[in-house]
Amino acid sequence: DSALVSDVSKEALEKYFEKNKKNFELKENIVRVRYVKVPKKHSKLNTIKYMLQYKDSVKKEKFFELIQKENIFCVADDSAWVKLEDLKTLVPIKLYNDEHFLRHYKYTEAPEGDDVWIVYFSENRLKEGVAPIEMVKDKIKAIIVNQRILDLIQKQEKELYKAAKQSGVLKINLD
C-alpha cells in the first residue's frame, strides 16, 4: 500500500518538527566545531589561529591549503553536531561553565605538552533548547512511518468489519 512508503518528504519532516518542537529538547549541549593541534613554536601559529575562524568559502579554501602544506592535524566538519562532552574527551579544553562559555565565546585554546589545541565553535545549541532538525530527522521519519502503519491497520480493520457485517459473517452477541 502506498501509505506504507517509507519515503518521507522534507516538507512532512519539517511540518512534524515545527508542530512537535517541545518533544525534541536537548539533554546536553551540542556544538559545531573546528579544531587544530599545532606545535606551540610553529612559525605560522598566529596565522592558523586567525584562519581557523574563516567565514567564507575562499578563506576556508586558503585555510585548508595552509593546513595541508604545514601538515597540521585538523578537524573542521561544520555540518556535524557534536556533543560538547564528547568533544571534551577528544580535546583537552577546560570550560568552567559550559553554558556561559558557549553563550559568550566562540574560541578557546588548550595547551598540551609542546602543542596547543585551537578550537573554534561555529555554532552551538544549549541543553533544554530545541535540537536541530538534522539531528532528529531519522526519529521523525520513524514516527511518521509508524503512524502510517497504524493508520493502515485501523483502515483495514474497519474495512474487514464492514465487509464481514455486510456479508453476514459477523454476528454481534449481546448476551
Side-chain angles (χ1 to χ4, degrees), residues 24 27 30 36 47 49 63 69 77 81 83-84 99 102-103 106 108 111 114 117 132 136 146 149 153 160 170 173-174:
F24 301 107
K27 304 295 182 222
I30 59 171
V36 293
T47 303
K49 287 180 187 183
F63 169 75
K69 180 181 170 201
D77 182 2
W81 286 99
K83 295 175 184 173
L84 181 60
E99 285 82 16
L102 292 173
R103 277 191 182 98
K106 287 191 163 284
T108 191
D114 292 335
W117 290 88
V136 295
N146 284 335
I149 292 169
I153 290 169
L160 283 171
L170 175 69
N173 202 350
L174 300 174

Side-chain angles (χ1 to χ4, degrees), residues 24-30 124-132 135-136:
F24 301 107
E25 182 179 290
L26 288 168
K27 304 295 182 222
E28 55 195 313
N29 299 318
I30 59 171
N124 70 69
R125 300 276 173 98
L126 301 179
K127 66 182 167 187
E128 298 178 6
V130 177
M135 279 189 80
V136 295

Side-chain angles (χ1 to χ4, degrees), residues 2 4 17 40 50 113 131 167-168:
S2 63
L4 276 183
F17 179 76
K40 288 178 184 173
Y50 172 75
S167 69

Side-chain angles (χ1 to χ4, degrees), residues 3-4 16 140-154:
L4 276 183
Y16 187 91
I140 294 171
K141 181 179 178 183
I143 291 168
I144 292 171
V145 169
N146 284 335
Q147 187 58 54
R148 289 176 182 172
I149 292 169
L150 289 174
D151 292 347
L152 182 63
I153 290 169
Q154 288 176 340

Side-chain angles (χ1 to χ4, degrees), residues 31-38 48 51-54 60 63-64 67-68 71-83 86-87 90-91 116-122:
V31 294
R32 285 185 168 160
V33 66
R34 308 173 202 150
Y35 54 92
V36 293
K37 184 178 183 182
V38 185
I48 292 168
M51 291 180 74
L52 179 65
Q53 301 176 59
Y54 59 80
K60 178 180 181 178
F63 169 75
F64 282 110
I67 291 303
Q68 189 173 9
N71 197 26
I72 300 293
F73 174 80
C74 173
V75 173
D77 182 2
D78 286 335
S79 65
W81 286 99
V82 179
K83 295 175 184 173
D86 291 348
L87 175 67
L90 298 170
V91 179
V116 62
W117 290 88
I118 305 162
V119 183
Y120 176 77
F121 297 88
S122 56

